[in-house]
């Protein structure tokens, strides 16, 4: 089967002829991939930056929409032909979702609503779960004053929307070019975090801060109230200090949460700008995303 991946660790991307997944065991499924998300994290899978049990030669990527092709013994929740969405890490078959077929765990998939486009659904898993789990870590609810720094990217823009749905007061930190879009997504206000000394230019104070832009956490910490929380999805959280709790968030698979995110997207409550590319043309797009040049667009590969 065709896949987009690497022959060996640290190699460049290639279109590969890969073996089909092994037979699914209990709690596992094989999916015929329809669309698969591209994220900057995918470049880490074969360089040691994120150990997901990739076994090259293998396809990269950890999120997708697919149709159930085979089920493991005694599967009762999903049936052959079901269209589902998945985030899978570690990879039980050693190969990822940029392939015609992938082996996944049934606990990590959610059913796709009938009115949700597969390309949009394939863009949701890692970004959506990361956003949701970070808001949970920050204990965001209707009483929270939340700052999202680096809010224009796919993950952070979903965090803005999800926090708004929780009733939080959301301030987005981003460049002026994204201000109108972020207000439309639910931000109560936007501050320009691209200018030097941005944290000294606002009198606002926050209960929680979500960091989605590398190198901004130290400045943002000064804007937290006593008892505040800061969580980074950029792996560069400063140490906690008296009165301020800090952490890094690393996404975990969660099939039930994917059900919830897909339902919100199908209802029009979550929006993402998505661009789909045929897998045969995916190498330059994947490289561009890996270099941080996605332009705020969530890219997906179609099969």
């Amino acid at each position: 089967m065709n896949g987009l991946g690497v022959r060996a660790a640290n190699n460049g991307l290639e279109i590969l002829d890969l073996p089909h997944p092994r037979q699914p065991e209990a709690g596992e499924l094989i999916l015929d991939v329809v669309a698969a998300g591209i994220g900057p994290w995918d470049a880490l899978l074969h360089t040691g930056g994120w150990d997901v049990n990739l076994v090259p030669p293998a396809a990269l990527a950890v999120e997708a929409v697919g149709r159930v092709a085979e089920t493991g013994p005694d599967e009762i929740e999903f049936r052959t032909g079901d269209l589902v969405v998945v985030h899978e890490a570690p990879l039980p078959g050693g190969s990822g979702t940029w392939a015609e077929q992938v082996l996944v765990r049934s606990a990590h998939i959610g059913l796709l609503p009938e009115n949700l486009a597969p390309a949009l659904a394939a863009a949701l898993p890692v970004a959506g779960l990361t956003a949701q789990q970070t808001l949970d870590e920050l204990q965001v609810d209707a009483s929270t004053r939340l700052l999202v720094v680096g809010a224009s990217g796919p993950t952070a823009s979903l965090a803005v929307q999800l926090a708004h749905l929780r009733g939080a007061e959301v301030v987005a930190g981003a460049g002026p070019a994204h201000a109108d879009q972020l207000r439309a997504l639910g931000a109560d206000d936007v501050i320009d975090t691209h200018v030097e000394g941005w944290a000294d230019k606002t009198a606002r104070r926050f209960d929680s801060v979500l960091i989605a832009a590398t190198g901004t956490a130290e400045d943002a910490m000064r804007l937290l109230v006593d008892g505040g929380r800061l969580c980074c999805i950029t792996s560069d959280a400063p140490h906690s200090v008296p009165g301020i709790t800090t952490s890094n968030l690393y996404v975990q698979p969660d099939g039930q949460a994917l059900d919830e995110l897909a339902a919100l997207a199908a209802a029009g409550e979550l929006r993402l700008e998505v661009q789909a590319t045929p897998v045969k043309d995916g190498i330059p797009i994947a490289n561009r995303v890996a270099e941080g040049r996605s332009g705020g667009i969530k890219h997906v590969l179609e099969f």
Side-chain angles (χ1 to χ4, degrees):
M1 66 175 182
N2 287 329
L4 176 56
V6 293
R7 293 187 185 275
N10 298 302
N11 276 27
L13 290 175
E14 300 179 51
I15 299 294
L16 301 172
D17 184 12
L18 297 169
H20 287 274
R22 61 167 171 78
Q23 287 296 113
E25 300 174 357
E28 297 178 337
L29 305 167
I30 292 177
L31 304 182
D32 290 330
V33 177
V34 175
I38 305 173
W41 49 81
D42 293 311
L44 303 176
L45 304 188
H46 63 109
T47 61
W50 187 11
D51 184 5
V52 298
N53 291 349
L54 191 79
V55 184
L60 299 187
V62 293
E63 60 184 343
V65 165
R67 197 171 298 279
V68 177
E70 296 183 51
T71 64
D74 303 320
E75 177 63 44
I76 58 173
E77 186 171 358
F78 300 101
R79 299 180 179 180
T80 301
D82 283 346
L83 199 59
V84 299
V85 58
V86 64
H87 163 49
E88 187 61 278
L91 299 165
S95 188
T97 59
W98 291 348
E100 292 178 287
Q101 287 193 329
V102 64
L103 180 73
V104 298
R105 297 172 184 84
S106 57
H108 298 164
I109 68 175
L111 278 172
L112 200 71
E114 290 185 1
N115 61 330
L116 183 58
L120 175 55
L124 282 176
V126 174
L129 289 173
T130 300
Q132 186 181 74
Q133 290 169 15
T134 305
L135 295 179
D136 290 343
E137 175 79 5
L138 292 169
Q139 300 180 22
V140 171
D141 59 20
S143 68
T144 304
R145 295 166 297 174
L146 173 69
L147 172 64
V148 179
V149 183
S152 61
T155 301
S157 70
L158 286 173
V160 169
Q161 295 171 72
L162 289 166
H164 174 71
L165 290 172
R166 295 185 184 197
E169 177 187 340
V170 185
V171 174
H178 300 285
D180 289 343
Q181 178 189 16
L182 287 164
R183 286 190 175 94
L185 295 177
D188 295 280
D189 198 4
V190 180
I191 59 177
D192 186 355
T193 49
H194 290 188
V195 298
E196 187 175 353
W198 64 270
D200 298 321
K201 299 179 186 298
T202 179
R204 289 180 176 271
R205 293 298 179 264
F206 301 93
D207 305 298
S208 298
V209 173
L210 188 160
I211 297 294
T214 303
T216 61
E218 292 278 2
D219 287 336
M221 279 184 73
R222 303 203 305 271
L223 302 181
L224 281 164
V225 300
D226 187 46
R229 295 177 174 84
L230 179 144
C231 187
C232 293
I233 63 173
T234 48
S235 300
D236 62 347
H239 292 298
S240 297
V241 298
I244 303 293
T245 301
T246 65
S247 60
N248 292 305
L249 191 287
Y250 301 101
V251 65
Q252 299 298 318
D254 187 331
Q256 182 176 346
L258 284 179
D259 276 331
E260 297 167 1
L261 291 166
L264 288 172
E269 299 282 0
L270 291 180
R271 288 180 281 165
L272 269 180
E273 186 175 356
V274 177
Q275 182 174 316
T277 300
V279 66
K280 65 181 180 64
D281 302 321
I283 292 176
I285 298 295
N287 287 335
R288 187 189 313 163
V289 173
E291 294 164 1
R293 298 187 292 114
S294 67
I297 298 170
K298 178 65 180 186
H299 290 272
V300 302
L301 299 179
E302 291 187 326
F303 288 80

